[in-house]
Amino acid sequence: LINLRSWLRCCHHRHLSNGGSKSAASAQPTSGVAFHGSPHLQHSKPTEHAPPYFHPFRPRAVPPRRGDPSRPASWSAAVADLLASGDAVAALATFAAALRANPAALLPALPPAFRAAAAATSLVAGRQLHLLALRSGLFPSDPFSASALLHMYHHCCRPLDARKAFDEIPSPNPVIITAMCSGYLRNNLVYPSLALFRDLLTSGSAMAVDEAAALVAFSSSARVPVRGITASLHALIVKIGLDVDAGVVNTMLDAYAKGGGRDLPAARKVFDTMEKDVVSWNTMIALYAQNGLSAEALELYCKMLNVGGGIRYNAVTFSAVLLACAHAGTIQTGKRVHNQVVRMGLEENTYVGTSVVDMYSKCGRVEMARKAFGKIKEKNVLSWSAMITGYGMHGHGQDALEVFNEMCRSGQNPNYITFISVLAACSHAGLLDMGRYWYKTMKNKFGVEPGVEHYGCMVDLLGRAGCLDEAYGLIKEMKVKPDAAIWGALLSACRVHKNVELAEISAKRLFELDATNSGYYVLLSNIYAEAGMWKDVERMRVLVKTRGIEKPPGYSSVELKGKTHVFYVGDTSHPQHKEIYSYLGKLLDIAQKAGYVPNTGSVHHDLDEEEKESALRIHSEKLAVAFALMNSIPGSVIHVIKNLRVCTDCHAVIKFISKSAEREIIVRDLQRFHHFKDGSCSCGDYW
């Protein structure tokens, strides 16, 4: 207690000497601490600084509320009130005053005092309180003090100390076990948290699981990749009757969401049968959007608008819906959502505004993304990174670097994600020297260690420039294990620069890392085909067949008048398919007269030349472009979304079509955006 008083006096003196304008973060206890009665505390070194004042620039105008000396419970209320107001130091000072006025106040006031030490993240004060609890016998006998003690150690990032204290409690009740599980979760120790919860169940206390314990368990299961944990917990809460609690069910939905697409049916079943609130709707919409099911997300959003019952969409709703629009490339729907954002005054909101920027960027309207970016009042690192990414994916590397420099001038420090955006922008624009510069600077100046994503951007950048040996050398020198994205970038560079030997090395690594991805087999097969190595092409086909690998069907989509039209290779399902093929034939004839030569190199070698050209004519990209030109306003920009990489022949012919039709055509494929205008593409024929 004496040491606690000394520490508080030191804090108070510091605050007054600084005019109440500076933090007391450097305050140290004025005397040493000798711990007794707890072996794990005897070896601790309480060297942590005391906590800063809350609201240091707004000192309290009135003295802290004092308790009635004759009523110990009033002191507890005084400590709890000050803690709730955000003044943890004053709460600890009131606790010290309580003990001076009435030692009987220790029992009711100790738990909120522990929580005040946790709020101040003061391990020094927390350990002093621990010693006081040991000497008074309140630990481990009093469950409220024990629970608060565990809370303190976890908030001070000392889970091992918390565990040692937990092990000293003879028979911890479910509340104490839940506090320990929650602390583990706070320190990202999810497996120990789930193991302790399992021990609670096996001890025969399953019926003692309450809302708090269920929330912690589901939050932990959301962070582990093991399938089945969330479903098991779901069965448990149904058994004990907690499936009617909105908070528990919403947390369960989030856990299913973190499990990915495999848990979607179970999550939807829960959603359909629960009593829904705005959190439920937001969680389910986000679950669909994050798994690429944009149509389902937008359909659910429309249902939410019409459900009634006081359900009102909010900033979280808009962020999820805008993500769905971004993935689907549905610019018209995205605009309508943006208009609603403006009407609700959320355009300046950091998170909603960033989602608007991301949506417009991924829908091909980077200039509108820039306008939305300018509306964000307080830009965070995600806002800046989203704008840099937007410019980068459209090939506007210089604009991306200009935004990055503006970010640095604003005082916002770039992080790991920001430098991925910067290096990707350099890669897409072919800015080799700038990419090399920022790759070195990110570590030397900003202290950001390169990760696999940064290496991937550099391999792509070097590959674009034809520096294949340097790219391969960088991969071999990596401090982390190269993933499929890095070897895939090198394989793509080998296709462009026709390096079969290095392509085979890259493909071998890719087949080891992701043997079921058909894209790698197709890419290597195309490299062989363009090199005239038809035996190897046939070998790849046999390999794909024997391994049972199925290539996802390629398709292209166009949004016109609020409706999305999807086309597959050789598609005849569209009502206008006859007109589309007729118009496409005219476009191709015009392109051939202007110099377009069909690239038949990667088409089956056992077909004659005419059959090869016919096979190329029915690709989905060409059908989508022809349909859009037929049905859109003259002079308007055409937007096409392709789920796979655009093929070389379609890329070549769309350049000719953009010039002959005098239209700008924007194609978003799996790799990037292609802006076709006046016979050229923004990618510089590298993708």
mmCIF file of all heavy atoms in Angstrom, residues 297-330:
data_model
loop_
_atom_site.group_PDB
_atom_site.id
_atom_site.type_symbol
_atom_site.label_atom_id
_atom_site.label_comp_id
_atom_site.label_asym_id
_atom_site.label_seq_id
_atom_site.Cartn_x
_atom_site.Cartn_y
_atom_site.Cartn_z
ATOM 1 N N ALA A 297 -24.859 -11.178 -51.799
ATOM 2 C CA ALA A 297 -24.722 -10.063 -50.864
ATOM 3 C C ALA A 297 -25.672 -8.926 -51.226
ATOM 4 O O ALA A 297 -26.344 -8.353 -50.356
ATOM 5 C CB ALA A 297 -23.278 -9.564 -50.852
ATOM 6 N N LEU A 298 -25.750 -8.594 -52.510
ATOM 7 C CA LEU A 298 -26.620 -7.498 -52.949
ATOM 8 C C LEU A 298 -28.097 -7.871 -52.815
ATOM 9 O O LEU A 298 -28.934 -7.023 -52.481
ATOM 10 C CB LEU A 298 -26.292 -7.134 -54.399
ATOM 11 C CG LEU A 298 -24.883 -6.557 -54.616
ATOM 12 C CD1 LEU A 298 -24.595 -6.381 -56.099
ATOM 13 C CD2 LEU A 298 -24.724 -5.224 -53.892
ATOM 14 N N GLU A 299 -28.409 -9.136 -53.041
ATOM 15 C CA GLU A 299 -29.788 -9.593 -52.865
ATOM 16 C C GLU A 299 -30.212 -9.473 -51.397
ATOM 17 O O GLU A 299 -31.325 -9.035 -51.089
ATOM 18 C CB GLU A 299 -29.906 -11.043 -53.329
ATOM 19 C CG GLU A 299 -31.308 -11.625 -53.173
ATOM 20 C CD GLU A 299 -31.377 -13.097 -53.535
ATOM 21 O OE1 GLU A 299 -30.352 -13.653 -53.981
ATOM 22 O OE2 GLU A 299 -32.451 -13.702 -53.349
ATOM 23 N N LEU A 300 -29.309 -9.829 -50.505
ATOM 24 C CA LEU A 300 -29.606 -9.740 -49.073
ATOM 25 C C LEU A 300 -29.747 -8.284 -48.635
ATOM 26 O O LEU A 300 -30.580 -7.949 -47.788
ATOM 27 C CB LEU A 300 -28.496 -10.432 -48.280
ATOM 28 C CG LEU A 300 -28.867 -10.932 -46.887
ATOM 29 C CD1 LEU A 300 -30.003 -11.946 -46.958
ATOM 30 C CD2 LEU A 300 -27.652 -11.549 -46.216
ATOM 31 N N TYR A 301 -28.935 -7.420 -49.220
ATOM 32 C CA TYR A 301 -29.028 -5.985 -48.925
ATOM 33 C C TYR A 301 -30.399 -5.441 -49.333
ATOM 34 O O TYR A 301 -31.014 -4.660 -48.584
ATOM 35 C CB TYR A 301 -27.913 -5.244 -49.651
ATOM 36 C CG TYR A 301 -28.015 -3.735 -49.588
ATOM 37 C CD1 TYR A 301 -27.939 -3.059 -48.374
ATOM 38 C CD2 TYR A 301 -28.171 -2.994 -50.758
ATOM 39 C CE1 TYR A 301 -28.021 -1.673 -48.323
ATOM 40 C CE2 TYR A 301 -28.253 -1.613 -50.715
ATOM 41 C CZ TYR A 301 -28.177 -0.955 -49.498
ATOM 42 O OH TYR A 301 -28.272 0.422 -49.455
ATOM 43 N N CYS A 302 -30.883 -5.864 -50.484
ATOM 44 C CA CYS A 302 -32.214 -5.414 -50.925
ATOM 45 C C CYS A 302 -33.296 -5.904 -49.960
ATOM 46 O O CYS A 302 -34.242 -5.170 -49.648
ATOM 47 C CB CYS A 302 -32.497 -5.932 -52.340
ATOM 48 S SG CYS A 302 -31.456 -5.193 -53.609
ATOM 49 N N LYS A 303 -33.162 -7.131 -49.461
ATOM 50 C CA LYS A 303 -34.124 -7.638 -48.476
ATOM 51 C C LYS A 303 -34.064 -6.826 -47.194
ATOM 52 O O LYS A 303 -35.085 -6.556 -46.554
ATOM 53 C CB LYS A 303 -33.844 -9.110 -48.183
ATOM 54 C CG LYS A 303 -34.208 -10.058 -49.314
ATOM 55 C CD LYS A 303 -33.975 -11.510 -48.903
ATOM 56 C CE LYS A 303 -34.378 -12.467 -50.019
ATOM 57 N NZ LYS A 303 -34.150 -13.892 -49.626
ATOM 58 N N MET A 304 -32.869 -6.441 -46.812
ATOM 59 C CA MET A 304 -32.699 -5.655 -45.597
ATOM 60 C C MET A 304 -33.421 -4.313 -45.712
ATOM 61 O O MET A 304 -34.019 -3.830 -44.747
ATOM 62 C CB MET A 304 -31.204 -5.429 -45.336
ATOM 63 C CG MET A 304 -30.899 -4.612 -44.097
ATOM 64 S SD MET A 304 -29.118 -4.320 -43.919
ATOM 65 C CE MET A 304 -29.086 -3.368 -42.406
ATOM 66 N N LEU A 305 -33.365 -3.708 -46.889
ATOM 67 C CA LEU A 305 -34.016 -2.410 -47.090
ATOM 68 C C LEU A 305 -35.524 -2.510 -46.929
ATOM 69 O O LEU A 305 -36.180 -1.534 -46.540
ATOM 70 C CB LEU A 305 -33.685 -1.867 -48.486
ATOM 71 C CG LEU A 305 -32.208 -1.608 -48.802
ATOM 72 C CD1 LEU A 305 -32.067 -1.038 -50.208
ATOM 73 C CD2 LEU A 305 -31.587 -0.670 -47.786
ATOM 74 N N ASN A 306 -36.071 -3.681 -47.211
ATOM 75 C CA ASN A 306 -37.528 -3.846 -47.201
ATOM 76 C C ASN A 306 -38.060 -4.589 -45.984
ATOM 77 O O ASN A 306 -39.256 -4.851 -45.902
ATOM 78 C CB ASN A 306 -37.968 -4.597 -48.468
ATOM 79 C CG ASN A 306 -37.588 -3.850 -49.736
ATOM 80 O OD1 ASN A 306 -37.704 -2.633 -49.805
ATOM 81 N ND2 ASN A 306 -37.103 -4.579 -50.730
ATOM 82 N N VAL A 307 -37.175 -4.929 -45.044
ATOM 83 C CA VAL A 307 -37.603 -5.787 -43.952
ATOM 84 C C VAL A 307 -38.438 -5.050 -42.914
ATOM 85 O O VAL A 307 -39.302 -5.620 -42.258
ATOM 86 C CB VAL A 307 -36.377 -6.454 -43.280
ATOM 87 C CG1 VAL A 307 -35.596 -5.445 -42.448
ATOM 88 C CG2 VAL A 307 -36.810 -7.623 -42.415
ATOM 89 N N GLY A 308 -38.184 -3.746 -42.742
ATOM 90 C CA GLY A 308 -38.942 -2.995 -41.724
ATOM 91 C C GLY A 308 -38.509 -3.387 -40.333
ATOM 92 O O GLY A 308 -37.407 -3.890 -40.102
ATOM 93 N N GLY A 309 -39.365 -3.156 -39.363
ATOM 94 C CA GLY A 309 -39.070 -3.543 -37.983
ATOM 95 C C GLY A 309 -37.994 -2.705 -37.330
ATOM 96 O O GLY A 309 -37.371 -3.129 -36.363
ATOM 97 N N GLY A 310 -37.772 -1.505 -37.847
ATOM 98 C CA GLY A 310 -36.786 -0.625 -37.229
ATOM 99 C C GLY A 310 -35.347 -0.915 -37.603
ATOM 100 O O GLY A 310 -34.430 -0.316 -37.042
ATOM 101 N N ILE A 311 -35.121 -1.860 -38.529
ATOM 102 C CA ILE A 311 -33.756 -2.166 -38.970
ATOM 103 C C ILE A 311 -33.281 -1.056 -39.899
ATOM 104 O O ILE A 311 -33.882 -0.805 -40.939
ATOM 105 C CB ILE A 311 -33.689 -3.522 -39.692
ATOM 106 C CG1 ILE A 311 -34.193 -4.647 -38.781
ATOM 107 C CG2 ILE A 311 -32.275 -3.802 -40.168
ATOM 108 C CD1 ILE A 311 -33.330 -4.893 -37.583
ATOM 109 N N ARG A 312 -32.206 -0.378 -39.521
ATOM 110 C CA ARG A 312 -31.658 0.709 -40.331
ATOM 111 C C ARG A 312 -30.215 0.397 -40.697
ATOM 112 O O ARG A 312 -29.418 -0.002 -39.854
ATOM 113 C CB ARG A 312 -31.697 2.022 -39.554
ATOM 114 C CG ARG A 312 -33.101 2.536 -39.287
ATOM 115 C CD ARG A 312 -33.765 3.038 -40.553
ATOM 116 N NE ARG A 312 -33.044 4.169 -41.125
ATOM 117 C CZ ARG A 312 -33.328 4.679 -42.321
ATOM 118 N NH1 ARG A 312 -34.271 4.118 -43.079
ATOM 119 N NH2 ARG A 312 -32.657 5.721 -42.772
ATOM 120 N N TYR A 313 -29.901 0.550 -41.964
ATOM 121 C CA TYR A 313 -28.526 0.321 -42.392
ATOM 122 C C TYR A 313 -27.629 1.413 -41.835
ATOM 123 O O TYR A 313 -28.064 2.514 -41.511
ATOM 124 C CB TYR A 313 -28.438 0.261 -43.917
ATOM 125 C CG TYR A 313 -29.324 1.235 -44.646
ATOM 126 C CD1 TYR A 313 -28.968 2.568 -44.772
ATOM 127 C CD2 TYR A 313 -30.534 0.827 -45.214
ATOM 128 C CE1 TYR A 313 -29.774 3.468 -45.448
ATOM 129 C CE2 TYR A 313 -31.348 1.710 -45.881
ATOM 130 C CZ TYR A 313 -30.961 3.036 -45.995
ATOM 131 O OH TYR A 313 -31.759 3.933 -46.640
ATOM 132 N N ASN A 314 -26.336 1.106 -41.736
ATOM 133 C CA ASN A 314 -25.385 2.042 -41.170
ATOM 134 C C ASN A 314 -24.071 1.981 -41.947
ATOM 135 O O ASN A 314 -24.003 1.404 -43.031
ATOM 136 C CB ASN A 314 -25.157 1.744 -39.678
ATOM 137 C CG ASN A 314 -24.739 0.301 -39.437
ATOM 138 O OD1 ASN A 314 -24.197 -0.363 -40.329
ATOM 139 N ND2 ASN A 314 -24.980 -0.187 -38.233
ATOM 140 N N ALA A 315 -23.028 2.574 -41.381
ATOM 141 C CA ALA A 315 -21.744 2.639 -42.071
ATOM 142 C C ALA A 315 -21.184 1.246 -42.360
ATOM 143 O O ALA A 315 -20.588 1.012 -43.420
ATOM 144 C CB ALA A 315 -20.750 3.447 -41.230
ATOM 145 N N VAL A 316 -21.373 0.319 -41.438
ATOM 146 C CA VAL A 316 -20.872 -1.049 -41.642
ATOM 147 C C VAL A 316 -21.600 -1.714 -42.811
ATOM 148 O O VAL A 316 -20.982 -2.421 -43.619
ATOM 149 C CB VAL A 316 -21.052 -1.874 -40.353
ATOM 150 C CG1 VAL A 316 -20.565 -3.303 -40.560
ATOM 151 C CG2 VAL A 316 -20.312 -1.225 -39.190
ATOM 152 N N THR A 317 -22.899 -1.465 -42.911
ATOM 153 C CA THR A 317 -23.680 -2.015 -44.029
ATOM 154 C C THR A 317 -23.110 -1.544 -45.357
ATOM 155 O O THR A 317 -22.883 -2.341 -46.281
ATOM 156 C CB THR A 317 -25.151 -1.581 -43.925
ATOM 157 O OG1 THR A 317 -25.622 -1.743 -42.597
ATOM 158 C CG2 THR A 317 -26.019 -2.380 -44.882
ATOM 159 N N PHE A 318 -22.889 -0.241 -45.465
ATOM 160 C CA PHE A 318 -22.401 0.321 -46.724
ATOM 161 C C PHE A 318 -21.020 -0.227 -47.078
ATOM 162 O O PHE A 318 -20.739 -0.499 -48.249
ATOM 163 C CB PHE A 318 -22.353 1.850 -46.642
ATOM 164 C CG PHE A 318 -23.708 2.493 -46.664
ATOM 165 C CD1 PHE A 318 -24.056 3.440 -45.718
ATOM 166 C CD2 PHE A 318 -24.646 2.152 -47.623
ATOM 167 C CE1 PHE A 318 -25.311 4.046 -45.731
ATOM 168 C CE2 PHE A 318 -25.900 2.743 -47.649
ATOM 169 C CZ PHE A 318 -26.233 3.688 -46.698
ATOM 170 N N SER A 319 -20.156 -0.392 -46.084
ATOM 171 C CA SER A 319 -18.816 -0.930 -46.362
ATOM 172 C C SER A 319 -18.906 -2.328 -46.964
ATOM 173 O O SER A 319 -18.193 -2.660 -47.917
ATOM 174 C CB SER A 319 -17.987 -0.954 -45.078
ATOM 175 O OG SER A 319 -17.735 0.355 -44.610
ATOM 176 N N ALA A 320 -19.809 -3.164 -46.409
ATOM 177 C CA ALA A 320 -19.965 -4.529 -46.916
ATOM 178 C C ALA A 320 -20.566 -4.541 -48.317
ATOM 179 O O ALA A 320 -20.115 -5.285 -49.202
ATOM 180 C CB ALA A 320 -20.833 -5.345 -45.963
ATOM 181 N N VAL A 321 -21.590 -3.714 -48.546
ATOM 182 C CA VAL A 321 -22.256 -3.685 -49.857
ATOM 183 C C VAL A 321 -21.315 -3.141 -50.920
ATOM 184 O O VAL A 321 -21.270 -3.635 -52.055
ATOM 185 C CB VAL A 321 -23.546 -2.853 -49.776
ATOM 186 C CG1 VAL A 321 -24.175 -2.703 -51.157
ATOM 187 C CG2 VAL A 321 -24.542 -3.495 -48.824
ATOM 188 N N LEU A 322 -20.548 -2.114 -50.580
ATOM 189 C CA LEU A 322 -19.593 -1.548 -51.537
ATOM 190 C C LEU A 322 -18.511 -2.559 -51.893
ATOM 191 O O LEU A 322 -18.032 -2.592 -53.034
ATOM 192 C CB LEU A 322 -18.969 -0.273 -50.959
ATOM 193 C CG LEU A 322 -19.910 0.938 -50.913
ATOM 194 C CD1 LEU A 322 -19.334 2.024 -50.014
ATOM 195 C CD2 LEU A 322 -20.154 1.493 -52.316
ATOM 196 N N LEU A 323 -18.131 -3.407 -50.929
ATOM 197 C CA LEU A 323 -17.172 -4.470 -51.226
ATOM 198 C C LEU A 323 -17.758 -5.439 -52.244
ATOM 199 O O LEU A 323 -17.061 -5.882 -53.172
ATOM 200 C CB LEU A 323 -16.804 -5.207 -49.934
ATOM 201 C CG LEU A 323 -15.883 -6.424 -50.087
ATOM 202 C CD1 LEU A 323 -14.525 -6.009 -50.644
ATOM 203 C CD2 LEU A 323 -15.710 -7.136 -48.750
ATOM 204 N N ALA A 324 -19.044 -5.774 -52.090
ATOM 205 C CA ALA A 324 -19.701 -6.667 -53.053
ATOM 206 C C ALA A 324 -19.718 -6.042 -54.442
ATOM 207 O O ALA A 324 -19.458 -6.712 -55.445
ATOM 208 C CB ALA A 324 -21.121 -6.975 -52.586
ATOM 209 N N CYS A 325 -20.025 -4.753 -54.511
ATOM 210 C CA CYS A 325 -20.026 -4.049 -55.804
ATOM 211 C C CYS A 325 -18.631 -4.043 -56.423
ATOM 212 O O CYS A 325 -18.467 -4.196 -57.640
ATOM 213 C CB CYS A 325 -20.519 -2.622 -55.627
ATOM 214 S SG CYS A 325 -22.248 -2.478 -55.108
ATOM 215 N N ALA A 326 -17.615 -3.861 -55.587
ATOM 216 C CA ALA A 326 -16.236 -3.833 -56.080
ATOM 217 C C ALA A 326 -15.845 -5.173 -56.683
ATOM 218 O O ALA A 326 -15.248 -5.241 -57.763
ATOM 219 C CB ALA A 326 -15.289 -3.465 -54.938
ATOM 220 N N HIS A 327 -16.186 -6.276 -55.999
ATOM 221 C CA HIS A 327 -15.834 -7.603 -56.500
ATOM 222 C C HIS A 327 -16.549 -7.910 -57.811
ATOM 223 O O HIS A 327 -15.970 -8.523 -58.717
ATOM 224 C CB HIS A 327 -16.192 -8.665 -55.458
ATOM 225 C CG HIS A 327 -15.219 -8.713 -54.320
ATOM 226 N ND1 HIS A 327 -15.420 -9.479 -53.197
ATOM 227 C CD2 HIS A 327 -14.042 -8.075 -54.120
ATOM 228 C CE1 HIS A 327 -14.403 -9.324 -52.367
ATOM 229 N NE2 HIS A 327 -13.555 -8.469 -52.905
ATOM 230 N N ALA A 328 -17.816 -7.502 -57.901
ATOM 231 C CA ALA A 328 -18.600 -7.823 -59.097
ATOM 232 C C ALA A 328 -18.359 -6.838 -60.229
ATOM 233 O O ALA A 328 -18.688 -7.128 -61.380
ATOM 234 C CB ALA A 328 -20.086 -7.849 -58.745
ATOM 235 N N GLY A 329 -17.798 -5.680 -59.909
ATOM 236 C CA GLY A 329 -17.599 -4.653 -60.932
ATOM 237 C C GLY A 329 -18.883 -4.007 -61.389
ATOM 238 O O GLY A 329 -18.958 -3.463 -62.496
ATOM 239 N N THR A 330 -19.914 -4.026 -60.535
ATOM 240 C CA THR A 330 -21.222 -3.458 -60.892
ATOM 241 C C THR A 330 -21.236 -1.970 -60.558
ATOM 242 O O THR A 330 -21.632 -1.562 -59.467
ATOM 243 C CB THR A 330 -22.347 -4.187 -60.134
ATOM 244 O OG1 THR A 330 -22.030 -4.217 -58.726
ATOM 245 C CG2 THR A 330 -22.494 -5.610 -60.629
#
